[in-house]
Amino acid sequence: GSCLLYGDSGLPNQKGPLAPDKIVLRDGWSPSSTYLLINLRFTGWHRYKATSTITVVHKGGPLIVDDLEHSPLSWLPKGRSLFRDKRIPRENLNGLVVTKNGMAAALYGFTGMGEYWAQDPPFYADIVSFGTDTEKDWAHIRIRNWRGWDHDRRIYLYRDGGPVIVEDEAVGPPSAQSAFVWHVVGAEQVGRERFRLYGRPVTAEIAFEPAQPYEAEISRNGNAKTTVVYYTSRLRTTITFFP
């Protein structure tokens, strides 16, 4: 069932103490069961900067995934040329992104090189709570002071085919900008903030509920994936996956 996983915090050639690594929330083991994988950390040698992001939401098929489907880099040797072999930008994951500040922001403003969003999330997310009971499983994780931003993410998985609810709240400097990014698979937009998702063998819906005024950006990669980005200076968003 649902579990909190710990992993080695050291380098490939140097062991370190165990540290929180991932959370799995799962309501069963049948093909139509719901499960989520939540990443808790990024360390210096690891290019997958996935602190407090959701790698996958699966219900009969993938509904939310990381955006890793990019063409290989032809000028690199085989085994090093795939997009996932290089550093994966933070905005290709499902979580909070924040703007750069200081010298990094100045360099981007002058040159336009690199990514618009900061690529240095905290090494670890704090685990505020994790638990299971007969009705639901849940996790509350927190990022502290990422370029002045604090982010709380609460995730609830209700048992027996019930909904999955993800509540996000991020608070940061008044002049800064942040966003929540979601990469939705097989989505048909059926409302301003509602999408129908086609997993196999089930169909689900996802509803976004921003709590403050916001700007939304929706882009599509054919029929395979829809990217939904919500921008605002103070973020509070709830998404619900309905069976």
Side-chain angles (χ1 to χ4, degrees):
S2 299
C3 56
L4 166 61
L5 304 175
Y6 285 73
D8 193 316
S9 63
L11 299 172
N13 61 347
Q14 181 181 348
K15 278 195 163 186
L18 290 177
D21 188 82
K22 293 177 178 63
I23 292 174
V24 179
L25 298 182
R26 175 185 288 276
D27 76 344
W29 296 91
S30 71
S32 60
S33 296
T34 304
Y35 68 82
L36 296 85
L37 176 63
I38 304 144
N39 269 290
L40 299 175
R41 69 169 181 163
F42 137 69
T43 50
W45 60 272
H46 199 328
R47 295 175 182 268
Y48 190 47
K49 301 184 177 184
T51 308
S52 195
T53 64
I54 295 176
T55 297
V56 64
V57 177
H58 193 282
K59 186 174 180 62
L63 304 179
I64 297 287
V65 296
D66 291 337
D67 182 15
L68 306 180
E69 297 176 8
H70 293 261
S71 300
L73 302 173
S74 58
W75 50 274
L76 288 175
K78 188 176 181 180
R80 299 286 301 276
S81 62
L82 295 178
F83 180 77
R84 62 175 174 80
D85 293 328
K86 310 307 293 178
R87 181 180 54 78
I88 300 168
R90 175 77 179 185
E91 56 268 26
N92 287 57
L93 310 178
N94 299 292
L96 175 72
V97 291
V98 302
T99 50
K100 300 173 180 179
N101 56 19
M103 184 58 69
L107 287 173
Y108 180 83
F110 284 129
T111 66
M113 297 179 63
E115 291 86 9
Y116 174 75
W117 300 105
Q119 302 294 320
D120 59 346
F123 283 179
Y124 295 96
D126 296 331
I127 303 168
V128 180
S129 65
F130 167 78
T132 67
D133 60 29
T134 56
E135 179 189 18
K136 67 182 182 299
D137 300 345
W138 70 90
H140 176 191
I141 56 180
R142 177 178 294 153
I143 288 179
R144 297 177 185 270
N145 195 26
W146 181 20
R147 296 181 179 265
W149 288 88
D150 293 327
H151 172 213
D152 282 275
R153 170 162 273 182
R154 296 173 174 87
I155 305 168
Y156 306 92
L157 186 154
Y158 286 83
R159 296 186 177 276
D160 301 321
V164 174
I165 299 175
V166 181
E167 297 178 350
D168 284 306
E169 183 168 10
V171 180
S175 59
Q177 186 184 58
S178 65
F180 288 123
V181 181
W182 293 95
H183 302 286
V184 186
V185 176
E188 173 192 359
Q189 192 169 0
V190 294
R192 185 165 183 253
E193 292 148 355
R194 197 176 187 97
F195 297 83
R196 186 168 293 122
L197 311 179
Y198 297 99
R200 295 180 176 84
V202 301
T203 300
E205 289 194 358
I206 179 172
F208 295 88
E209 303 172 34
Q212 290 89 18
Y214 68 96
E215 295 179 22
E217 175 184 322
I218 300 172
S219 59
R220 290 179 172 81
N221 178 11
N223 295 321
K225 192 182 289 102
T226 300
T227 299
V228 184
V229 183
Y230 287 103
Y231 302 90
T232 180
S233 59
R234 179 185 175 98
L235 292 169
R236 185 167 176 266
T237 305
T238 301
I239 68 169
T240 306
F241 298 88
F242 297 96

